[in-house]
Amino acid sequence: MPDPSVSPTLDLQLTWRGTFGRVRVFHDRVVAETSYERDALVPVPMDTVRGWRIEPCDFDAVCLEFVTPDETYRVLLDTTDERVAGLALRRVLGQPLPPAS
């Protein structure tokens, strides 16, 4: 079980057009939650994530996509956070998936 007293190395969140997204990167794991394209705020089931990527969503947001066997969870981030999020996620999760489009 992760130690709750350990602080993340990166903690990003965004409230965007009525949705909320947050990604917290620790040295050994990622914790994410999103309400984008959902009825409520849900945790991303990181234990089933098969890959990740960052895709454009709009002119003022990017989608951090976590791909599981059953669905894709999208966490919205500010466009200014794209680079730092990508670097932090590569350290913990490895290389991103190729673009979806």
Side-chain angles (χ1 to χ4, degrees), residues 32-72:
E33 57 188 342
T34 185
S35 66
Y36 185 62
E37 301 175 328
R38 309 280 166 176
D39 294 331
L41 186 64
V42 298
V44 176
M46 296 305 295
D47 57 331
T48 63
V49 168
R50 300 284 192 252
W52 67 279
R53 67 180 150 247
I54 298 177
E55 297 275 309
C57 279
D58 208 321
F59 70 93
D60 60 351
V62 293
C63 287
L64 173 52
E65 296 183 343
F66 293 102
V67 179
T68 70
D70 298 324
E71 61 186 305
T72 298

Side-chain angles (χ1 to χ4, degrees), residues 1-82:
M1 161 128 347
D3 183 350
S5 68
V6 175
S7 296
T9 57
L10 182 66
D11 189 347
L12 300 172
Q13 59 185 2
L14 178 66
T15 301
W16 185 83
R17 299 182 186 176
T19 65
F20 177 79
R22 183 177 191 183
V23 62
R24 297 170 60 196
V25 181
F26 296 84
H27 76 282
D28 62 344
R29 70 188 189 287
V30 175
V31 177
E33 57 188 342
T34 185
S35 66
Y36 185 62
E37 301 175 328
R38 309 280 166 176
D39 294 331
L41 186 64
V42 298
V44 176
M46 296 305 295
D47 57 331
T48 63
V49 168
R50 300 284 192 252
W52 67 279
R53 67 180 150 247
I54 298 177
E55 297 275 309
C57 279
D58 208 321
F59 70 93
D60 60 351
V62 293
C63 287
L64 173 52
E65 296 183 343
F66 293 102
V67 179
T68 70
D70 298 324
E71 61 186 305
T72 298
Y73 292 81
R74 292 177 179 87
V75 178
L76 295 180
L77 296 177
D78 190 284
T79 55
T80 60
D81 294 330
E82 180 178 4

